[in-house]
Amino acid sequence: GGERGEVTVIFADVVAFTRLAQEHPPEQVVAVLNELFTFLTEIVFRHGGIVDKFVGDCVMAVFGAPYPQPDHALRAARAAEEMLCWLDSGNAKWRKELGSPLQLGIGVGSGEVVEGNIGSEKRMEYTVIGDAVNLAARLEHLARPGQVLLSRATAAAIGAEFEVRSLGEHPVGGRARPVEIFELV
């Protein structure tokens, strides 16, 4: 079961991970991912979020749960921006090790979800479920390297601290109608 709540969700995914995994030994790929995830986790925590899960080369973070935060969207936007800024620094090392930089595509969605323990009788985990989560994941898939895409709800909630630009309406997987997408500038 769970409770309804307003949250903002981030999906931050390593762009071109398949190529990275093909070109380098798995031990090296795991070491790089663990280092990247350590820094991304610290950024999420610094802004008051939680890391919901790691899905392969992607981090799912939640702001506004399990404890309500009226500024959850703003916290998430700050974290997404810091992730990209930090990546510029981390890439000085990874360019040497991997021969190319790591890049993230980030999707951010805000809205009502059910938060709580979800799973089976034998294995449960805390997570959030709802349309805002699905949309954030879809936006992450559409994001170009170094780009943060926002849902309309997130763009409206972050106020004047960030400049956002509408990219117009685009088809999004699983949606009957196109969705207006915003970019964090």
Side-chain angles (χ1 to χ4, degrees):
E3 296 179 7
R4 284 182 178 255
E6 288 283 329
V7 303
T8 298
V9 179
I10 291 179
F11 284 88
D13 184 64
V14 177
V15 177
F17 180 76
T18 301
R19 190 187 81 242
L20 178 74
Q22 289 174 345
E23 294 176 357
H24 301 282
E27 295 83 4
Q28 183 180 21
V29 172
V30 167
V32 168
L33 278 180
N34 285 342
E35 189 174 11
L36 174 66
F37 288 163
T38 296
F39 287 105
L40 296 182
T41 298
E42 287 303 316
I43 291 167
V44 169
F45 290 171
R46 187 171 25 258
H47 292 280
I50 63 167
V51 172
D52 183 293
K53 62 181 60 74
F54 300 108
V55 184
D57 61 319
C58 182
V59 175
M60 177 185 170
V62 180
F63 297 81
Y67 304 106
Q69 297 164 318
D71 59 346
H72 53 83
L74 190 56
R75 289 171 180 266
R78 289 174 183 153
E81 180 182 59
E82 188 176 342
M83 287 175 182
L84 293 181
C85 289
W86 179 85
L87 197 58
D88 286 341
S89 301
N91 272 327
K93 175 185 177 200
W94 291 325
R95 238 184 228 103
K96 292 175 188 171
E97 290 179 8
L98 303 172
S100 63
L102 291 181
Q103 297 178 308
L104 293 176
I106 300 176
V108 186
S110 302
E112 189 175 60
V113 299
V114 171
E115 57 178 280
N117 293 316
I118 297 170
S120 72
E121 290 179 6
K122 300 208 182 244
R123 185 177 186 283
M124 301 281 276
E125 67 178 30
Y126 177 85
T127 193
V128 294
I129 301 288
D131 186 53
V133 180
N134 295 337
L135 183 54
R138 299 287 196 263
L139 292 176
E140 174 264 307
H141 288 328
L142 295 174
R144 294 185 319 268
Q147 187 177 43
V148 179
L149 296 181
L150 310 169
S151 69
R152 175 190 289 274
T154 304
I158 62 175
E161 183 170 326
F162 290 96
E163 182 183 345
V164 298
R165 173 178 49 230
S166 174
L167 300 178
E169 291 190 345
H170 294 271
V172 174
R175 301 271 175 154
R177 293 192 178 107
V179 173
E180 186 175 14
I181 297 173
F182 294 82
E183 177 181 30
L184 193 65
V185 178

